Amino acid sequence: MGCGQSRSEIIYSVPITSPEEAKGESAIHRGLKVRDQLITGFVDAPEVKTYQDVILRSVRLFGDRDFLGTRVASSDGTLGKYQWKSYKQVLEIATHLGSGIQDMGLAPPRKEWQDLELRFVAIYAKNREEWALVDWASILYGYTVLPIYDTLGPEAVDFVFVQTGVTTIFLSIGQLDCVIKSKEAGNANQLTNIVSFEIPNTEQRAKAEKAGFKLFTFEEVLEAGKKKKLDYTKVTPETVFTFSYTSGTTGTPKAAMITHGNVVATIGGCRENPSYKIYNTDVYLSYLPLAHVLERLAYCLMIQGGAAIGLYNGDVLKLKDDIKELRPTIFFSVPRLFNKFYDAMKDGINKLTGAKKTLAEKALSTKLENLHRTGSVTHSLYDKLVFKKTREAMGGRVRFMLTGSAPISADVLDFLKVAICCPILEGYGQTESCAASFITYFGEPDAGHVGGPTYSVEFKVVDVPEMDYLATDKDAAGNPTPRGEVCIKGKCVFAGYYKDAEKTQEAIDKDGWLHTGDIGRINSNGSLKIIDRKKNIFKLAIGEYIAPEKIENIYVTCPSVAEVFVYGDSLQHFLVGIIVPDKNAIDKFAADLGISAPFEELVKNPKIVAKVLEEITAKGKASKLHSFEQVKKLHLETSSFGERDLLTPAFKVKRHEAKKYYQPQLDQMYKEGLPEAK
């Protein structure tokens, strides 16, 4: 939409049934284009049934185009330009690799649960070319990939080894010690083969062999496959393509089984919408963990469209340099990074003075007004005069971005749209639904909702009476605004949790509906707004239910808050919190209070703690939190939760682990009590 156009509302979904008030649920909603039938595959290529079909089709269509790009470091450590492998080259290497795995017997069949015969291959590494090669080899030869990542934590890694009995793991040499420790502790008894992406030194080889491992290099497996190239294994839509371990926020990880059919349905549902069209001229920067379903889906989408995927250098702190070199056209990320972009760009504008500042403020207000009125994110004059640098910060040619995995502030999203001059889509999904369930469209003028269902998904909301959310709810004007637990149905819904029928039945009901645990509101245009969380609720001693994630999502929008963990003891009557503060905000508080001290000392200063508490309380009040939902005491932490292994791959707090880690601080805050209670 252009600047001069008037606003027209986007219709995201329409009801295809009547509300079933007797059952306490809303009407079922689908996208307007698929109101009669959901998409389960590729409309223009019905022969594509599996993800194996997808990659082979892409090689046929885009064989000579760039596919995987890696920056190679020089002898002094300086990263150079991206060096590329084409779709044909990747297929050839993956074929040799898959043949080598099979010929060396590295992925023997296992049949331990519900007549499923699975051949496991584990991968333990950051995103890199070899990760994608093992993934493709597994797709071609019917192996099931077990992605392992650091944020699972050592206990969860042990659990994966024990649960699956996997015999072979591909890894970066830096992960070798962790795997050896698991073996020595008796948690990886069946894990016998390690394939290292790097050439191990004498000491590393000796340590692995002493622990009882056979240590191979990646090149050795490739050479075995070159000598004995084998035919691809026939897979079906029901074949389990990958496990995706979802640790959630409590308990041991759950192995969500994602099938080839799940992936094809998810891709098919996205590619039919023009807003998500991927072209073979697109370039994507891969930095989010490939072990997580969001990045895995991003790969699937890029591959089916023939896009080029440039891999980051392995250090998120140097991501800016990768962006500058690659100049991506598509960028997926999470609110944590987008918030950093926002802070840096906003700070740059705030530092301007005089006429430059006046012009920047005028440009920003004009573009924001146009965005809210028409959905436009570009301006023929101001994009050249004011926003050239902010657009260049993302490489200068990004045509759309996507944020997912957690809520993001509407102010941040709106600012970035107009500053970077490109649409930013907001998505919502779960591991159990292959990540892509809801997404906003290009030209969306309003932030704060997750758009409508993709074309492979239908949804409804179901009453949660204990939290006062009902499908019969109405707004202040009397218009229907159904609220309740979001339930999803479609071929994208996963096959279940491996060796956990009980949790599978909790997640998927007898009619095939996936119960997400998230509370949503269906808006008048069929879009969905996530407003609360059913899971992880608890009662305080005063008898009130608390949904901590809702409170955290409000507090984290405060300038002084980088990360937050809200906790309540059911025997206590108030909430306490652990906050990782923003250093710049703390320094400003200190300056205002006339306090001079290192950051580590400032976070312990009662006056500084009081200022942060004052800020989050004001934000909570403005967001209409009840008094009992407000945190009453705080502990400020200097290190991020990620450094403590207290975040899930989706950057959500691992509540159980965070409670254990911060138990002394939580106990101390409750011991001190509230001032009025003394």
Side-chain angles (χ1 to χ4, degrees):
M1 286 183 278
C3 295
Q5 289 180 271
S6 61
R7 174 173 177 160
S8 58
E9 190 172 53
I10 297 170
I11 302 300
Y12 279 102
S13 72
V14 293
I16 63 165
T17 64
S18 298
E20 296 198 46
E21 295 183 13
K23 292 185 178 180
E25 57 188 51
S26 72
I28 297 171
H29 282 64
R30 289 180 182 173
L32 185 61
K33 184 176 177 179
V34 292
R35 62 188 306 168
D36 296 324
Q37 185 175 357
L38 294 176
I39 287 173
T40 59
F42 286 23
V43 173
D44 59 340
E47 71 279 4
V48 174
K49 305 290 185 185
T50 68
Y51 193 31
Q52 187 185 85
D53 295 334
V54 173
I55 66 173
L56 293 175
R57 175 179 180 271
S58 289
V59 172
R60 287 195 303 271
L61 295 175
F62 317 113
D64 294 324
R65 298 195 68 87
D66 288 343
F67 173 24
L68 288 178
T70 302
R71 299 184 74 187
V72 179
S74 60
S75 56
D76 65 355
T78 305
L79 290 168
K81 294 185 177 298
Y82 275 89
Q83 297 184 12
W84 294 92
K85 285 184 172 64
S86 70
Y87 276 82
K88 281 182 181 177
Q89 288 172 320
V90 169
L91 179 67
E92 182 180 20
I93 298 169
T95 300
H96 293 153
L97 184 62
S99 296
I101 293 171
Q102 190 162 313
D103 184 56
M104 296 170 68
L106 300 182
R110 302 187 66 84
K111 196 172 184 179
E112 297 181 350
W113 192 62
Q114 292 189 346
D115 295 327
L116 273 177
E117 183 172 281
L118 302 172
R119 295 184 294 158
F120 294 121
V121 171
I123 310 176
Y124 194 2
K126 292 180 179 179
N127 297 13
R128 54 188 293 165
E129 185 178 288
E130 293 87 349
W131 209 114
L133 290 168
V134 176
D135 200 38
W136 267 43
S138 300
I139 294 161
L140 295 171
Y141 288 90
Y143 312 137
T144 298
V145 173
L146 305 177
I148 297 174
Y149 39 91
D150 291 329
T151 51
L152 270 178
E155 291 180 5
V157 171
D158 291 343
F159 175 81
V160 173
F161 293 150
V162 172
Q163 186 195 45
T164 62
V166 61
T167 60
T168 300
I169 186 167
F170 285 75
L171 51 68
S172 299
I173 202 67
Q175 271 69 47
L176 181 63
D177 285 345
C178 176
V179 175
I180 288 174
K181 286 179 183 177
S182 184
K183 181 83 164 181
E184 291 174 342
N187 296 312
N189 293 332
Q190 296 180 75
L191 188 64
T192 54
N193 308 304
I194 292 177
V195 182
S196 173
F197 293 143
E198 297 87 4
I199 298 175
N201 59 34
T202 303
E203 181 185 355
Q204 291 164 336
R205 187 174 289 279
K207 285 171 66 176
E209 291 174 353
K210 183 180 178 182
F213 288 114
K214 294 178 182 177
L215 183 57
F216 305 97
T217 65
F218 189 74
E219 291 299 325
E220 285 176 317
V221 182
L222 275 178
E223 286 302 314
K226 288 179 182 178
K227 293 174 183 176
K228 192 174 182 179
K229 182 179 174 181
L230 301 172
D231 292 336
Y232 300 145
T233 300
K234 181 176 175 56
V235 298
T236 70
E238 290 72 37
T239 301
V240 180
F241 150 59
T242 187
F243 281 13
S244 188
Y245 278 93
T246 170
S247 59
T249 51
T250 59
T252 56
K254 300 188 293 290
M257 297 184 291
I258 309 296
T259 69
H260 281 257
N262 293 150
V263 175
V264 170
T266 304
I267 300 172
C270 291
R271 71 194 295 271
E272 287 304 310
N273 192 310
S275 284
Y276 324 132
K277 178 74 173 176
I278 307 297
Y279 301 97
N280 60 24
T281 52
D282 276 319
V283 179
Y284 175 76
L285 176 59
S286 171
Y287 94 94
L288 293 174
L290 258 172
H292 186 233
V293 72
L294 175 59
E295 185 68 1
R296 206 74 171 281
L297 175 67
Y299 266 61
C300 297
L301 290 171
M302 299 307 140
I303 288 166
Q304 64 82 28
I309 299 174
L311 296 140
Y312 85 123
N313 68 85
D315 184 352
V316 176
L317 296 178
K318 298 177 181 177
L319 194 64
K320 184 178 179 181
D321 190 45
D322 291 332
I323 292 172
K324 182 179 179 181
E325 179 62 36
L326 186 67
R327 300 182 65 235
T329 63
I330 299 172
F331 187 77
F332 285 13
S333 193
V334 294
R336 169 179 291 197
L337 186 67
F338 281 125
N339 286 335
K340 290 184 182 297
F341 289 164
Y342 170 81
D343 290 339
M345 293 176 183
K346 190 81 170 177
D347 188 53
I349 290 177
N350 290 339
K351 286 180 178 177
L352 296 174
T353 58
K356 287 185 177 180
K357 187 175 182 66
T358 301
L359 176 63
E361 289 176 343
K362 173 64 176 175
L364 187 61
S365 64
T366 299
K367 287 197 70 177
L368 286 172
E369 181 183 344
N370 289 341
L371 170 66
H372 296 146
R373 184 167 54 86
T374 71
S376 171
V377 294
T378 59
H379 191 283
S380 58
L381 177 63
Y382 291 138
D383 290 353
K384 296 175 183 177
L385 293 179
V386 177
F387 298 112
K388 185 177 180 180
K389 283 188 177 180
T390 50
R391 180 167 172 76
E392 286 296 329
M394 289 305 302
R397 61 174 185 174
V398 62
R399 66 181 186 87
F400 81 87
M401 301 194 290
L402 181 142
T403 178
S405 89
I408 187 169
S409 163
D411 290 342
V412 170
L413 205 56
D414 288 347
F415 175 88
L416 291 177
K417 285 178 181 178
V418 301
I420 302 174
C421 312
C422 83
I424 304 179
L425 310 181
E426 198 168 356
Y428 165 81
Q430 296 185 321
T431 300
E432 293 83 354
S433 63
C434 289
S437 299
F438 294 82
I439 196 166
T440 54
Y441 292 172
F442 279 34
E444 172 54 67
D446 296 323
H449 63 83
V450 296
T454 58
Y455 290 165
S456 57
V457 165
E458 61 185 8
F459 79 103
K460 63 183 179 180
V461 297
V462 177
D463 288 356
V464 186
E466 66 271 24
M467 298 178 72
D468 200 27
Y469 293 122
L470 303 174
T472 54
D473 285 343
K474 293 180 171 58
D475 63 17
N479 301 309
T481 52
R483 302 189 303 170
E485 182 181 11
V486 180
C487 295
I488 296 168
K489 194 174 184 181
K491 292 292 184 182
C492 60
V493 173
F494 77 136
Y497 299 116
Y498 184 59
K499 292 184 178 179
D500 202 333
E502 182 179 346
K503 283 192 171 64
T504 298
Q505 289 170 3
E506 289 176 7
I508 306 174
D509 66 26
K510 60 182 177 59
D511 296 318
W513 288 97
L514 173 66
H515 290 247
T516 66
D518 287 314
I519 306 295
R521 183 188 74 211
I522 303 177
N523 299 319
S524 60
N525 66 344
S527 64
L528 179 72
K529 181 178 177 65
I530 303 299
I531 57 175
D532 211 335
R533 180 80 174 152
K534 180 181 178 183
K535 297 177 182 177
N536 302 323
I537 64 172
F538 53 81
K539 263 187 183 181
L540 290 175
I542 56 176
E544 296 288 352
Y545 281 99
I546 299 294
E549 290 178 344
K550 178 184 78 171
I551 302 167
E552 290 163 355
N553 290 337
I554 292 170
Y555 286 168
V556 81
T557 62
C558 294
S560 67
V561 179
E563 297 173 311
V564 56
F565 167 52
V566 170
Y567 176 76
D569 188 322
S570 60
L571 298 178
Q572 302 287 344
H573 64 282
F574 64 95
L575 298 175
V576 296
I578 307 290
I579 280 179
V580 179
D582 179 87
K583 186 176 184 302
N584 292 333
I586 296 302
D587 288 343
K588 186 176 186 307
F589 285 155
D592 292 344
L593 293 167
I595 302 171
S596 178
F599 179 67
E600 290 73 15
E601 295 298 322
L602 290 176
V603 298
K604 298 176 184 177
N605 189 300
K607 292 182 179 179
I608 298 292
V609 176
K611 289 289 286 183
V612 176
L613 184 60
E614 178 183 334
E615 185 179 77
I616 67 170
T617 302
K619 174 63 74 171
K621 188 174 182 180
S623 301
K624 295 184 168 45
L625 288 182
H626 296 290
S627 176
F628 60 80
E629 292 177 296
Q630 295 268 35
V631 162
K632 298 299 193 291
K633 291 190 74 71
L634 279 182
H635 169 80
L636 301 186
E637 165 68 281
T638 56
S639 299
S640 76
F641 294 152
E643 292 176 21
R644 309 291 194 196
D645 285 333
L646 300 177
L647 294 179
T648 72
F651 302 103
K652 296 176 183 177
V653 179
K654 296 180 182 176
R655 314 203 74 81
H656 181 65
E657 286 86 345
K659 175 182 179 294
K660 286 197 298 183
Y661 187 89
Y662 290 112
Q663 194 67 64
Q665 292 87 347
L666 300 173
D667 289 344
Q668 181 61 33
M669 285 187 281
Y670 276 125
K671 182 179 179 181
E672 292 171 358
L674 298 176
E676 60 267 28
K678 291 183 178 179

